[in-house]
Amino acid sequence: MGIYLNPGNQGFLRAVNSEIYVDKTGLIAYTNRCINTEQEYICVSRPRRFGKSMALQMLAAYYGRECSSKKLFEAYQIAKDKSFYTHLNQYNVIYINIADFLDREKPGEMVGFLVKRLSGEFVRAYGDILNPKEHLVNMMEDIYAKTGMQFIFLIDEWDCMMRIKGVEPDQQIGYLDFLRKLLKDKPYVALAYMTGILPIKKYGEHSALNMFDEYSMMNAVPISEFTGFTQQEVKELCGRYQISFDEVCRWYDGYTVDDLSVFNPKSVVSAMLRKRFDSYWNFTETYDALKAYICMNMDGLRDKVTRMISKEAVTVDTTSFQNDMATLKSADDVLTLLIHLGYLTYNYRTQKAKIPNDEVALEYLKSIKDGGWENVINVIQASEELMRAILEKEESRVAQILEQVHEDNTSILKYNDENSLACVISLACYAAKKDYVMYRELPAGVGYADVVFVPRSGVFRPAIIVELKYDRSIKAAIDQIHSRKYMDCLKGYSGKMLLVGINYNKNSAEKKHECIIEEWQR
């Protein structure tokens, strides 16, 4: 076994020997179907901590011909598939982590160093049939011609050159051309499986790697379930470790991939083993990207980020993104980048993005502590007082706080409709998230309740229904809650509710807000 050629099964063995291992070997059944077909080129882009490297270690252990992995896999899902024995340990595997080569060499010299290391391993393994002076591609052609043994390419961090500042475009193009010449239309390729954070880089209308099918956080069919942990997988872990499933959802769920809800695997494992809910986000280049990019106030970006911090989803056009971290020309480009980095989740049906969970929301709060976000931070800090005032039914104090929020944030959030007011209510009630699940536009009775706060499991506080009015009256807000039976949106809830009516008068010089709070018992 070598370092890059047939590295063996030790990496996957460490994974299955760990205290927590979630069976994702079903992915192998899909890659088996792709071998020697038009679908043999697979590019998977996901954020860090979503199990990309572990998947490659699993594939290396399964396909590599210089190890015996039958016993390693026979207890898992793939062993039940009819293709299990057909491809088990039948191929030469080339496993490359591109980041290893960038760490050692200048970007412009990376390809040459990679070729040198791979060629050296080929000569050591097949020196009796190879000319050591041949080019890497010719060596693999000779190995295939003389042994009939095809290669499976597993390439990790394939896009890291595109994510490093200062790498010239001609160096990126040269690297992509190298991969194309190495992989495209080569009879020695049985399967090529690449992983990274960004989709394949575009150059004008063409791509050097257009033979790859791409599977991203926005479109991963038919391998969506292997993007992260599924709800059923997390429920089983919560039962084993006696941990609240609702709390795990609040912290680490929220990623929507092709209508499937998936969890951040690394953070779920950390929470189970440490029995503590916290942010296990690794501080990497992606954190720097979040802090730098959300402070670009291009094309209303700050307005959209503020809305998402307040739990709102915003529309994103993902089509113009050039799949790098430098060519950012609009707010949509920045938000699309943040989707790929895992700082947002994207719903392909609604074409909207939002912050997925509390773990990621904490990273946003860390990132906006300076750089012109002071008013937003002040609102969040005042949110404890607002929730106290609502629960104590201090109507004038609630109106006073909302007026201050309005005054401090008119430069960011435009007050021109009830939706903008709802966004500010959500932001101002930020502190409620630890005790409540907040819903916007919740179906109820006749129509939709504007904002609803439902107590979390084990929290003994009243549910709250908020109706917003714009240049109307607080009485109209309360009357609408009753007439349209908005309380019916909480059919499974029994106990005290607070019905809150809020009106904003745009024509008053003091931007006056009014509030009325009524207690209702089910």
Side-chain angles (χ1 to χ4, degrees):
M1 289 185 287
I3 298 174
Y4 310 109
L5 175 63
N6 296 321
N9 57 20
Q10 286 299 308
F12 186 59
L13 181 62
R14 285 194 297 272
V16 299
N17 283 343
S18 300
E19 182 173 336
I20 294 178
Y21 170 70
V22 173
D23 184 1
K24 293 292 184 179
T25 61
L27 174 64
I28 300 172
Y30 177 73
T31 57
N32 282 349
R33 295 198 298 272
C34 294
I35 288 175
N36 287 320
T37 71
E38 294 294 328
Q39 288 73 49
E40 67 186 28
Y41 299 99
I42 298 170
C43 182
V44 175
S45 57
R46 295 178 197 157
R48 292 188 184 277
R49 309 163 302 115
F50 270 77
K52 300 187 299 292
S53 297
M54 184 178 292
L56 290 179
Q57 292 168 351
M58 175 183 73
L59 296 175
Y62 175 78
Y63 289 117
R65 62 183 294 266
E66 293 189 10
C67 59
S68 178
S69 300
K70 176 177 176 293
K71 291 184 178 180
L72 185 57
F73 283 97
E74 61 187 3
Y76 298 111
Q77 184 180 352
I78 183 58
K80 301 175 184 178
D81 192 86
K82 63 182 180 180
S83 69
F84 177 56
Y85 290 105
T86 303
H87 301 282
L88 179 65
N89 301 133
Q90 296 296 308
Y91 298 88
N92 275 320
V93 166
I94 296 177
Y95 188 161
I96 309 167
N97 186 330
I98 299 297
D100 290 345
F101 294 92
L102 282 180
D103 289 343
R104 302 180 189 185
E105 299 294 318
K106 296 178 182 178
E109 301 171 352
M110 185 202 74
V111 170
F113 183 59
L114 190 157
V115 169
K116 179 180 177 181
R117 293 304 302 268
L118 286 180
S119 298
E121 289 212 4
F122 287 147
V123 170
R124 285 191 293 274
Y126 293 98
D128 56 331
I129 62 174
L130 291 181
N131 179 351
K133 295 183 179 180
E134 285 279 13
H135 186 272
L136 177 66
V137 171
N138 294 337
M139 286 186 179
M140 286 188 286
E141 288 174 340
D142 289 344
I143 293 171
Y144 173 61
K146 295 175 182 179
T147 69
M149 191 69 62
Q150 286 184 294
F151 290 86
I152 285 183
F153 289 82
L154 306 175
I155 303 176
D156 202 4
E157 300 276 9
W158 83 270
D159 62 330
C160 60
M161 179 180 282
M162 286 64 181
R163 293 185 276 110
I164 294 178
K165 295 178 181 178
V167 176
E168 297 296 329
D170 61 335
Q171 295 174 342
Q172 296 182 8
I173 294 173
Y175 167 59
L176 292 174
D177 283 341
F178 162 73
L179 291 178
R180 177 180 56 82
K181 292 174 183 176
L182 179 70
L183 301 173
K184 188 172 184 178
D185 298 327
K186 301 300 182 185
Y188 55 73
V189 177
L191 178 77
Y193 188 105
M194 301 197 309
T195 68
I197 293 177
L198 300 178
I200 292 171
K201 170 70 178 172
K202 302 173 186 176
Y203 286 99
E205 298 179 355
H206 305 287
S207 170
L209 302 178
N210 59 5
M211 68 281 199
F212 276 88
D213 288 320
E214 298 200 57
Y215 305 86
S216 71
M217 295 298 285
M218 295 186 288
N219 183 3
V221 173
I223 57 174
S224 309
E225 66 181 289
F226 306 112
T227 301
F229 288 173
T230 65
Q231 286 195 350
Q232 184 57 41
E233 290 164 345
V234 173
K235 283 181 179 179
E236 291 173 2
L237 289 174
C238 288
R240 188 197 313 175
Y241 287 89
Q242 296 297 295
I243 288 179
S244 167
F245 176 70
D246 289 341
E247 281 296 286
V248 175
C249 288
R250 178 163 75 95
W251 277 91
Y252 311 117
D253 191 11
Y255 292 97
T256 301
V257 183
D258 308 311
D259 292 329
L260 181 69
S261 179
V262 298
F263 292 67
N264 175 333
K266 175 66 168 62
S267 296
V268 168
V269 169
S270 296
M272 297 294 162
L273 296 180
R274 299 187 185 192
K275 296 188 180 298
R276 179 177 178 178
F277 297 108
D278 204 344
S279 175
Y280 297 104
W281 195 273
N282 293 329
F283 290 94
T284 64
E285 69 203 82
T286 58
Y287 172 77
D288 293 332
L290 175 66
K291 186 175 179 65
Y293 295 143
I294 65 173
C295 289
M296 296 179 178
N297 198 21
M298 58 169 67
D299 192 27
L301 175 62
R302 186 165 295 190
D303 169 50
K304 294 180 180 180
V305 171
T306 301
R307 290 178 179 276
M308 289 189 290
I309 291 174
S310 73
K311 303 287 188 179
E312 188 173 333
V314 301
T315 301
V316 180
D317 179 0
T318 63
T319 59
S320 65
F321 182 58
Q322 293 298 303
N323 297 348
D324 63 31
M325 299 176 72
T327 313
L328 303 172
K329 298 181 179 179
S330 66
D332 286 330
D333 286 348
V334 174
L335 297 178
T336 304
L337 172 61
L338 296 181
I339 292 168
H340 290 297
L341 295 178
Y343 283 101
L344 297 174
T345 185
Y346 179 77
N347 186 312
Y348 79 100
R349 292 186 184 278
T350 63
Q351 298 184 348
K352 290 186 175 184
K354 65 179 182 178
I355 298 172
N357 52 49
D358 280 6
E359 180 183 44
V360 179
L362 277 179
E363 299 307 311
Y364 278 86
L365 294 187
K366 293 173 186 175
S367 298
I368 66 172
K369 285 185 176 178
D370 51 32
W373 296 86
E374 291 80 7
N375 287 343
V376 176
I377 290 293
N378 290 340
V379 173
I380 292 173
Q381 291 174 342
S383 62
E384 290 277 3
E385 170 65 8
L386 178 62
M387 285 307 299
R388 184 204 64 77
I390 291 175
L391 293 172
E392 296 294 328
K393 295 183 287 185
E394 296 179 2
E395 298 165 340
S396 61
R397 180 60 177 149
V398 171
Q400 181 186 27
I401 293 173
L402 291 176
E403 285 178 14
Q404 188 64 50
V405 171
H406 182 176
E407 182 178 345
D408 289 346
N409 291 280
T410 49
S411 62
I412 298 177
L413 298 169
K414 308 301 181 185
Y415 267 62
N416 55 9
D417 55 25
E418 291 177 15
N419 187 58
S420 294
L421 181 57
C423 176
V424 170
I425 295 294
S426 302
L427 187 64
C429 293
Y430 192 87
K433 68 176 185 175
K434 66 179 183 295
D435 292 328
Y436 289 91
V437 178
M438 186 187 74
Y439 298 95
R440 293 275 303 275
E441 297 292 328
L442 189 65
V446 180
Y448 297 84
D450 285 335
V451 187
V452 178
F453 296 89
V454 181
R456 295 185 182 276
S457 177
V459 174
F460 300 100
R461 287 193 168 185
I464 302 170
I465 299 176
V466 181
E467 179 61 26
L468 306 170
K469 289 298 176 187
Y470 185 64
D471 272 346
R472 296 284 299 281
S473 71
I474 52 177
K475 184 178 185 302
I478 287 292
D479 288 346
Q480 183 167 317
I481 293 175
H482 285 288
S483 64
R484 297 190 179 182
K485 300 180 180 179
Y486 285 167
M487 294 82 78
D488 289 350
C489 70
L490 301 174
K491 289 184 178 179
Y493 175 85
S494 62
K496 185 168 69 173
M497 295 184 191
L498 295 180
L499 312 181
V500 181
I502 295 172
N503 180 59
Y504 165 63
N505 293 306
K506 73 171 183 178
N507 293 321
S508 62
E510 63 274 19
K511 302 171 185 174
K512 187 173 180 58
H513 291 70
E514 299 172 298
C515 174
I516 184 172
I517 301 176
E518 179 182 304
E519 187 173 315
W520 193 82
Q521 188 78 27
R522 166 170 285 168

